[in-house]
Amino acid sequence: MSVGQLLRLETETVTELPVKIPFDFTNKDAVPAGKDPGDSIVIRPITVRTWFRIRPLLLQIEKEDLECMMVKTGELNTDFPRMMDKYGDLLLDVVCLGIHNKSSDPPAWFRETLMDNSTWEDIRILLNAVLYRIGYYPFCTSITTLRNVSPLGETEIIAAQKNMQSWKDAVSLGS
């Protein structure tokens, strides 16, 4: 990702414009009949509901690892395959939730299509786009503050995940 692209992402975050990322879906085996993923992925400003769904997932990523995943100008990240090995499903969940950005769960076919058509670098770019739409630096500040002033540990993270699952179950029953 070039400096120009990063600046554009940051500008679009501040102005709350959608980010349109060209994406080549060449392997469409997982796409159901009648669905078309198009030729780009659009990430809109993250809603509060989506933020509350993504936050417990991001809390499971170690701060140093999250910083390693962030795009740095002129730097080729050779550690990202290791990060995908460590957090693969979690990162896909964050990316899919950020792209979908609705109260419902992202469609399973989209996740499968994304997995079939993405490289590690694609997931890294999409993750960065989602994080920029959240507002990465304020997010990191809030995570640092949470970790410094709160006894948030593994037990609390598990509780947050269970709360998220019960919320999903309640939404499913209400549909």
Side-chain angles (χ1 to χ4, degrees):
M1 187 174 282
S2 72
V3 174
Q5 288 173 315
L6 283 174
L7 289 174
R8 183 178 52 96
L9 279 174
E10 288 182 21
T11 302
E12 289 169 345
T13 298
V14 170
T15 58
E16 297 189 358
L17 295 173
V19 175
K20 185 175 183 178
I21 301 170
F23 201 88
D24 188 16
F25 292 97
T26 53
N27 181 359
K28 297 184 180 181
D29 292 340
V31 179
K35 299 286 184 183
D36 181 15
D39 61 355
S40 63
I41 293 177
V42 177
I43 302 176
R44 291 172 175 68
I46 302 298
T47 64
V48 172
R49 180 186 306 267
T50 300
W51 164 242
F52 280 114
R53 294 178 73 187
I54 289 175
R55 187 176 61 174
L57 302 176
L58 292 175
L59 285 171
Q60 295 177 51
I61 301 172
E62 294 174 27
K63 183 183 178 206
E64 298 78 25
D65 290 344
L66 188 60
E67 288 174 3
C68 178
M69 292 178 212
M70 296 305 299
V71 171
K72 295 171 185 76
T73 307
E75 182 179 300
L76 191 60
N77 187 339
T78 56
D79 277 350
F80 198 70
R82 185 177 60 82
M83 294 298 135
M84 282 297 293
D85 186 44
K86 188 173 180 180
Y87 300 108
D89 284 335
L90 187 68
L91 296 178
L92 279 169
D93 287 344
V94 170
V95 167
C96 288
L97 284 168
I99 293 169
H100 187 63
N101 202 17
K102 296 177 183 162
S103 60
S104 60
D105 287 334
W109 71 265
F110 183 75
R111 180 186 169 98
E112 295 299 317
T113 301
L114 193 60
M115 287 185 347
D116 289 344
N117 288 277
S118 298
T119 64
W120 288 319
E121 187 61 19
D122 293 334
I123 297 300
R124 182 173 182 233
I125 289 169
L126 292 170
L127 175 68
N128 276 269
V130 169
L131 292 177
Y132 276 114
R133 299 311 288 156
I134 290 171
Y136 171 70
Y137 293 105
F139 168 73
C140 272
T141 302
S142 70
I143 292 301
T144 303
T145 302
L146 270 176
R147 288 184 175 156
N148 288 338
V149 300
S150 173
L152 189 64
E154 186 177 339
T155 305
E156 289 81 9
I157 290 172
I158 291 169
Q161 289 173 323
K162 287 182 179 180
N163 285 342
M164 185 174 78
Q165 186 59 46
S166 66
W167 177 80
K168 282 182 182 179
D169 294 344
V171 169
S172 297
L173 291 174
S175 298

